[in-house]
Amino acid sequence: MYTNNINNRQAIPSFGKFIKIKGHTKAIADFREELKSNNDVFISIAKQKINDKSVLYLFSGKHLDKFLDLMREVYFRDLRTNPEKYLKSKPKELTLNQAKKLNKIL
């Protein structure tokens, strides 16, 4: 009988992050790709505004769990356009430069 136990994910402490990053659309897209290549413990949603500006939302830990639970109850389009309303909490707001410094922590 062959059993395989993988304990990598269980060793990571679970803490919640809900971050909102504002910046130019191209810079946000580049930063998002950089995050995807380095980490896989979060979900990111980019929302484009007018005048070549974008907002990037990052969810991890307990906020990620809440977001996934809400996907069953709320239309994804509504959840994607206004996550602050449905999560009922304010995100930590960062500039793109601050977020690049925190990239090592995420």
Side-chain angles (χ1 to χ4, degrees):
M1 180 164 110
Y2 177 74
T3 60
N4 188 7
N5 292 332
I6 299 173
N7 297 338
N8 295 359
R9 293 285 178 201
Q10 295 172 358
I12 297 173
S14 177
F15 55 94
K17 288 189 177 149
F18 180 30
I19 301 174
K20 179 180 182 180
I21 303 168
K22 294 181 180 180
H24 290 285
T25 303
K26 175 70 173 146
I28 289 287
D30 292 342
F31 179 67
R32 187 177 185 193
E33 289 301 319
E34 180 183 330
L35 281 177
K36 284 181 185 178
S37 65
N38 293 339
N39 304 309
D40 62 347
V41 195
F42 67 93
I43 288 180
S44 64
I45 295 177
K47 187 167 78 169
Q48 188 166 356
K49 302 267 187 172
I50 55 174
N51 298 333
D52 197 34
K53 298 285 184 177
S54 288
V55 175
L56 180 69
Y57 290 101
L58 299 176
F59 306 94
S60 68
K62 64 182 179 181
H63 294 289
L64 175 60
D65 294 339
K66 176 75 173 171
F67 184 81
L68 294 175
D69 289 340
L70 284 170
M71 284 178 61
R72 295 182 199 137
E73 302 168 8
V74 181
Y75 288 115
F76 184 71
R77 180 177 176 262
D78 295 338
L79 187 59
R80 182 178 184 271
T81 55
N82 199 358
E84 298 170 22
K85 175 183 171 185
Y86 293 104
L87 287 174
K88 297 178 181 158
S89 63
K90 290 268 186 189
K92 182 177 181 180
E93 294 190 17
L94 298 176
T95 63
L96 194 57
N97 291 333
Q98 292 171 335
K100 286 182 181 180
K101 290 177 185 176
L102 290 179
N103 184 12
K104 297 171 188 167
I105 296 171
L106 295 173

